Structure formats: structure tokens, C-alpha cells
Amino acid sequence: MSLRGTRDEGENYQLFRLIGQLDAFSEPVFRKVMNKYIEEGSPNIVLDLSQIDFVDSSGLGALVQLAKKVQGVPGTFQIVANPRVTQTVRLVRLEQFLSLRNSLEEALGHIPGK
């Protein structure tokens, strides 16, 4: 299964809901699309990865680069994770840097001015 997703805009944030696999195959398009939306929309980004089946090192690299880009805007970058994604991120000790959240409600509660 490849990566699919939707994008919703809130008052001062963008929410991306992704389904599938964030891997070496899907990463180039994912990065290109996300960079476009970060440049054109609100810098407060929430990625809902609760429906992601698999993240590999390419996917993790893309998440790190996007988090750095958002911090430079400045904005916020948060990830709603499922146990599989959380385990992968914790293996490389990036759970705080990537602002992992347990639910969409928790992530939305951390958006400035909301």
C-alpha cells in the first residue's frame, strides 16, 4: 500500500491525515507536498499518523527535515502517533523532537492561539 492522505485547514493550523506507509518509495512525494503546504499555509502543522502501517528510515528522515523547516518558519510541528509509529520514533530517541501526541485532541490543544 502506498501513502495517501487528506489535508484540512483550521484557523491557524494545517492538519494532514495519512494512511499507508511512509517509506523510501513514498517519501520523495510526501516531502515535496509537505514542503509546498508549509511554504503556502499556516506554519502550525499536525500530522495524524495514527493510520500509518509502517515508517522506515527514509520516512523518519523526512519527518525530521519537516520538523526543522517548521521550527525555522517559526511554527509548530506535531505528530499524532499509533503504537507502531511511536515505537519506531522511540528507537531513535526522537519522540520529544517530533512532538509525539497520543490523540488529535491533544495535538490541537498545543497549537498556539487556539
Side-chain angles (χ1 to χ4, degrees), residues 1-63:
M1 174 190 257
S2 63
L3 186 66
R4 299 185 322 269
T6 62
R7 174 182 168 262
D8 295 311
E9 281 189 282
E11 187 174 320
N12 64 338
Y13 67 91
Q14 297 183 76
L15 168 63
F16 298 87
R17 291 184 173 100
L18 302 177
I19 299 170
Q21 299 180 354
L22 183 52
D23 56 14
F25 179 74
S26 62
E27 179 270 332
V29 172
F30 167 73
R31 186 187 314 242
K32 181 179 179 182
V33 169
M34 290 300 300
N35 280 323
K36 174 184 179 262
Y37 283 122
I38 289 170
E39 290 170 7
E40 295 176 0
S42 170
N44 297 312
I45 304 296
V46 176
L47 283 181
D48 183 351
L49 303 185
S50 61
Q51 300 297 311
I52 288 290
D53 299 321
F54 177 74
V55 178
D56 71 2
S57 59
S58 297
L60 283 174
L63 294 174

Side-chain angles (χ1 to χ4, degrees), residues 29-102:
V29 172
F30 167 73
R31 186 187 314 242
K32 181 179 179 182
V33 169
M34 290 300 300
N35 280 323
K36 174 184 179 262
Y37 283 122
I38 289 170
E39 290 170 7
E40 295 176 0
S42 170
N44 297 312
I45 304 296
V46 176
L47 283 181
D48 183 351
L49 303 185
S50 61
Q51 300 297 311
I52 288 290
D53 299 321
F54 177 74
V55 178
D56 71 2
S57 59
S58 297
L60 283 174
L63 294 174
V64 167
Q65 286 191 336
L66 291 172
K68 287 180 179 180
K69 182 173 183 122
V70 169
Q71 288 175 350
V73 174
T76 60
F77 185 82
Q78 301 177 80
I79 295 174
V80 178
N82 62 29
R84 188 173 296 148
V85 171
T86 300
Q87 180 182 19
T88 302
V89 172
R90 283 189 176 155
L91 281 172
V92 292
R93 302 178 193 267
L94 289 172
E95 62 269 21
Q96 289 183 342
F97 179 75
L98 292 177
S99 299
L100 292 188
R101 306 294 183 208
N102 293 316

